[in-house]
Amino acid sequence: MNPPLRPFAGWPRAILHVDMDAFYVNVYLLAHPEDAGTPIAVGGRPGSRGVVMSASYEARAHGVRSAMPSTQAVKLCPALKFVSVGRGAIRDASRGVMAILAEYGPMEPMSVDEAYIDLSAQAAPVRVADAIRLRVREETGLPASVGLATCKLVAKVASDQGKPEGRTIVLPGQEAAFLAPLSTRVIWGIGPVTAERLAAHGIETCGQLAAADRALVERVFGRHGPALQARAAGIDRRDVVPDRGPARSISAERTFDRDMSDASFLREQLAHMCAQIGASLRRDGLVAQTVVVKFRLPDFTTYSRQRTVEFAIREDAEILRLAVAIWEEHWPPGQPMRLVGVGVSNLAPPHAQQLAFDFGA
């Protein structure tokens, strides 16, 4: 049992964000160490309308990025090697990492490769943050970057600053100063469209947003304006929420750095999210009867569509098959997407072996 949370001198709260570096690539390298140092991309190969899902840092040095068409990636890096990595390997690696993180305090997984840990009960959170990063590397063979701060928002931004294998500590009281020179894009809730609207008013950094005239921000963003300014100043009161008991629903979503319309890439994203959801269902001993697919357009219009089946499901392929059926029914080919998500609901423990069935066209 974790000790009761209590603030220690100088740290009213201590939130650690752990983000695995090039996770899919590095999981592949565990089984293929001979490819270390090679520019690598996980994703569809050129000529198949493939898209890069993850790239090694050697590839990133040439400008290769996730969500980039594979043909473009090869033009930037002719030596780029395309590889694949099994879902089982990803699942097992993620479980190993999360098991380590959960030993240090309340832990909230955000995806297969990142999580928050509340270290407020630790007498020396900086030393613990260093120990966690080193232990993950030693026991799993996988590199991670960590960010420690008094809130989730700043901790996540901090973990991005020193990649790969970075370690950034933002001391209490330094949150606003840390964020001030950074682009407004580092703040959750500020995407390309919002950043452009801010830039049109001469606001490009977090410091400029935090110091901007409140009336102007409210005029441009309405009721969301004050919240944006608070985040830009490093104010975030969200708690780390560990997994407690059976879930009512399980979901995953991806917000893209740029609007995506490539069908193969979007279906690959659906597949990875369904695998993540399936793993969660099996881990918790649950099955689902409803699958939901969430869509967000470039203009932020968001909607979801769902389908409920007679026989409950929990296998990745079953969830994916239903998600793709919903997707194909409601996605106009070529329509750019800002975000795609998948969720399951109507959860319950299985009462009998699930039967195979046809979702239909």
mmCIF file of all heavy atoms in Angstrom, residues 28 99 103 247 262 264 287 344:
data_model
loop_
_atom_site.group_PDB
_atom_site.id
_atom_site.type_symbol
_atom_site.label_atom_id
_atom_site.label_comp_id
_atom_site.label_asym_id
_atom_site.label_seq_id
_atom_site.Cartn_x
_atom_site.Cartn_y
_atom_site.Cartn_z
ATOM 1 N N TYR A 28 11.635 -2.853 -31.183
ATOM 2 C CA TYR A 28 12.182 -3.624 -32.309
ATOM 3 C C TYR A 28 13.660 -3.905 -32.094
ATOM 4 O O TYR A 28 14.139 -5.027 -32.328
ATOM 5 C CB TYR A 28 11.971 -2.844 -33.607
ATOM 6 C CG TYR A 28 12.780 -3.371 -34.770
ATOM 7 C CD1 TYR A 28 12.347 -4.462 -35.521
ATOM 8 C CD2 TYR A 28 14.008 -2.790 -35.103
ATOM 9 C CE1 TYR A 28 13.109 -4.953 -36.572
ATOM 10 C CE2 TYR A 28 14.773 -3.276 -36.153
ATOM 11 C CZ TYR A 28 14.318 -4.361 -36.884
ATOM 12 O OH TYR A 28 15.079 -4.850 -37.917
ATOM 13 N N ALA A 99 4.813 -1.772 -14.778
ATOM 14 C CA ALA A 99 4.960 -2.468 -13.497
ATOM 15 C C ALA A 99 6.029 -1.802 -12.639
ATOM 16 O O ALA A 99 5.885 -1.685 -11.413
ATOM 17 C CB ALA A 99 5.299 -3.939 -13.742
ATOM 18 N N GLU A 103 5.442 0.998 -8.792
ATOM 19 C CA GLU A 103 6.035 0.753 -7.474
ATOM 20 C C GLU A 103 6.336 2.037 -6.712
ATOM 21 O O GLU A 103 6.567 2.001 -5.506
ATOM 22 C CB GLU A 103 7.326 -0.053 -7.626
ATOM 23 C CG GLU A 103 7.126 -1.467 -8.156
ATOM 24 C CD GLU A 103 8.439 -2.229 -8.208
ATOM 25 O OE1 GLU A 103 9.375 -1.847 -7.458
ATOM 26 O OE2 GLU A 103 8.533 -3.199 -8.984
ATOM 27 N N ALA A 247 -13.508 -0.588 -15.115
ATOM 28 C CA ALA A 247 -13.828 0.631 -15.866
ATOM 29 C C ALA A 247 -15.224 0.534 -16.453
ATOM 30 O O ALA A 247 -15.728 -0.543 -16.743
ATOM 31 C CB ALA A 247 -12.811 0.815 -16.977
ATOM 32 N N ASP A 262 -4.727 10.202 -45.186
ATOM 33 C CA ASP A 262 -4.238 8.962 -45.765
ATOM 34 C C ASP A 262 -4.948 7.769 -45.123
ATOM 35 O O ASP A 262 -4.835 7.535 -43.920
ATOM 36 C CB ASP A 262 -2.728 8.847 -45.573
ATOM 37 C CG ASP A 262 -2.166 7.595 -46.231
ATOM 38 O OD1 ASP A 262 -2.177 6.544 -45.577
ATOM 39 O OD2 ASP A 262 -1.733 7.687 -47.396
ATOM 40 N N SER A 264 -4.520 4.487 -45.288
ATOM 41 C CA SER A 264 -3.713 3.435 -44.681
ATOM 42 C C SER A 264 -3.173 3.869 -43.322
ATOM 43 O O SER A 264 -3.145 3.078 -42.370
ATOM 44 C CB SER A 264 -2.561 3.043 -45.617
ATOM 45 O OG SER A 264 -1.704 4.145 -45.858
ATOM 46 N N VAL A 287 -15.155 -7.942 -20.891
ATOM 47 C CA VAL A 287 -15.535 -7.987 -22.300
ATOM 48 C C VAL A 287 -16.431 -6.772 -22.568
ATOM 49 O O VAL A 287 -16.957 -6.156 -21.646
ATOM 50 C CB VAL A 287 -16.281 -9.291 -22.655
ATOM 51 C CG1 VAL A 287 -15.352 -10.489 -22.542
ATOM 52 C CG2 VAL A 287 -17.511 -9.475 -21.767
ATOM 53 N N VAL A 344 -14.586 1.398 -26.107
ATOM 54 C CA VAL A 344 -15.529 0.305 -25.880
ATOM 55 C C VAL A 344 -16.297 0.593 -24.601
ATOM 56 O O VAL A 344 -15.775 1.209 -23.663
ATOM 57 C CB VAL A 344 -14.814 -1.069 -25.779
ATOM 58 C CG1 VAL A 344 -14.221 -1.454 -27.118
ATOM 59 C CG2 VAL A 344 -13.735 -1.066 -24.697
#
